Amino acid sequence: MSDVLLVERADGIATLTLNRPDSLNSLDVGLKEALREALGELATDDSCRAVLLTGAGRAFCVGQDLRQHVETLESGNSDPLSTVREHYNPVATLLAEMPKPVVAAVRGMAAGAGASLAMLADFRIGGPRTGFLMAFANVGLAGDTGASWVLPRLVGHAKATELMMLAEPIGAAEALRLGLLTKLVDDDEEILPAARALAARLAGGPTVAYAQIKRQLRIGGTGALAEALEAEYEAQKISGATADHRNATYAFVRKERPTFEGR
């Protein structure tokens, strides 16, 4: 991968580090393309059983690189927001549909598309300086990177409207109360270790079942009861055919601790 995105693999965990700290990990074309490519590879990599997403330096990600966007606006491009379709939409889809758990270590500010990236993770760990800002309206834009889909699921429609339209920063304690954070640690230096510990726990779990749980929740969150019930049947059929299910069931009966292999 490019230097703007660091990829580290160890013990079933793939750690993706947004690595443009001098610009607070703002998303230029190079970083967006690298992230899209890496997520696509991890989605089909059976050796990866959990994804950890973080940012280098003092911020998680402040969203679109506006300096690069100014260049696009001044270039006369007939579709200056084509990056939404080319980059942000695929990245959002890959995160939301990643068939393994995703943990975000949110150190510092997550703004705009950066906030959306964090919210699309299954779990978000933050610290005292963690903040969220749905910054789109501040530059005269609507939301992207799945913000309109994930934010109401986390905080409800009314609060999502407030956060998107007023575009005011949310501190760590409020983010925890709203459900934007899964866990708030006492010190910023504890964020990444806590996120890694959670990712390690998930990497040692029933990977196929986790993927089916994520799919169930996507369907159940917006569909009718009949659709949710059918999705549950399909999910149980798939996860029930795994060695993990069979071995864990036998272990439970024998009062033993199960070991999951992710298959």
Side-chain angles (χ1 to χ4, degrees), residues 164-217:
M164 292 285 284
M165 287 191 176
L166 298 184
E168 296 174 346
I170 307 153
E174 179 69 358
L176 179 66
R177 187 186 71 81
L178 290 174
L180 298 178
L181 286 177
T182 308
K183 181 178 182 180
L184 179 60
V185 297
D186 294 331
D187 188 284
D188 288 326
E189 297 305 319
E190 299 174 14
I191 296 173
L192 191 54
R196 280 183 176 143
L198 178 56
R201 173 182 172 181
L202 293 162
T207 310
V208 175
Y210 288 157
Q212 292 307 310
I213 288 169
K214 291 180 67 167
R215 178 174 171 272
Q216 285 179 325
L217 292 174

